[in-house]
Amino acid sequence: MKTPVLFTFLSFTQILVITILPFTSADLVDYTCKKTPHADFCISALRSDPRSSTADTATLGLIMVDKVDANAESTVTKIKDLLRKSPDRGTKQALTSCEESYKYCISALVPSSKESLTKGDPKFAVDNMRQEAIQASSCEEGFGGKSPLSGSNDYENKATSVAAAIASLLL
């Protein structure tokens, strides 16, 4: 008599866990993103990564840092292409400055941010991502008007702001 009751209880528990588990991760993404400066961007960026479905807050921060890194990598590629095509000296100078900033992000800010989030010391991730947001804004301003990198710089600003906000939740 006790075996069917135990079996029913275990089955019910498994069904409950299977149904609720995906919603808790989605709720964590929503909950976390609502505490960032670009909530819709945050939700979209995090949900596009399958790791977010089982992530804790630190992992959500790592996912956003990965988004920053991927954007920086693609921006450097775009800059190299633009440098080959641009005859204007002022544009080349602005592009070169942007390239240096994005390369610094890739080589120093991203790895340090990932390490600080992984080791449970998110202060460095907050500082690094804020620094990269400033550098992306400076890149944009370096063109003195119409920038060929506006889309990339805007994405970088949003991604770094969100990454910094998520990391600050861990302080």
Side-chain angles (χ1 to χ4, degrees), residues 7-156:
F7 179 73
T8 303
F9 175 74
L10 288 175
S11 296
F12 176 74
T13 305
Q14 287 175 332
I15 291 170
L16 190 62
V17 166
I18 290 170
T19 357
I20 292 177
L21 191 58
F23 293 109
T24 34
S25 296
D27 289 342
L28 181 60
V29 168
D30 287 344
Y31 174 80
T32 302
C33 288
K34 286 178 182 169
K35 295 183 177 215
T36 70
H38 305 285
D40 291 338
F41 172 85
C42 175
I43 291 167
S44 174
L46 289 177
R47 289 212 174 125
S48 71
D49 189 305
R51 294 176 293 170
S52 69
S53 65
T54 58
D56 59 5
T57 305
T59 304
L60 294 178
L62 286 168
I63 292 168
M64 283 310 303
V65 171
D66 285 342
K67 300 288 184 182
V68 168
D69 189 31
N71 184 66
E73 292 275 358
S74 68
T75 304
V76 167
T77 301
K78 183 177 184 177
I79 291 170
K80 287 179 181 180
D81 184 50
L82 290 168
L83 281 169
R84 283 191 293 274
K85 296 176 183 176
S86 178
D88 180 69
R89 184 174 181 204
T91 302
K92 279 189 175 192
Q93 190 174 14
L95 286 168
T96 301
S97 176
C98 291
E99 182 180 32
E100 290 171 8
S101 293
Y102 276 106
K103 283 183 173 180
Y104 180 70
C105 173
I106 294 164
S107 67
L109 300 178
V110 164
S112 175
S113 296
K114 286 181 177 182
E115 181 180 357
S116 73
L117 286 167
T118 303
K119 291 186 174 180
D121 188 11
K123 182 188 179 318
F124 294 106
V126 173
D127 293 344
N128 290 340
M129 291 296 100
R130 286 181 179 160
Q131 181 180 350
E132 177 56 13
I134 291 167
Q135 289 181 339
S137 293
S138 294
C139 170
E140 187 67 22
E141 293 164 5
F143 290 93
K146 183 73 175 145
S147 163
L149 302 174
S150 291
S152 299
N153 290 330
D154 182 56
Y155 185 96
E156 195 77 350

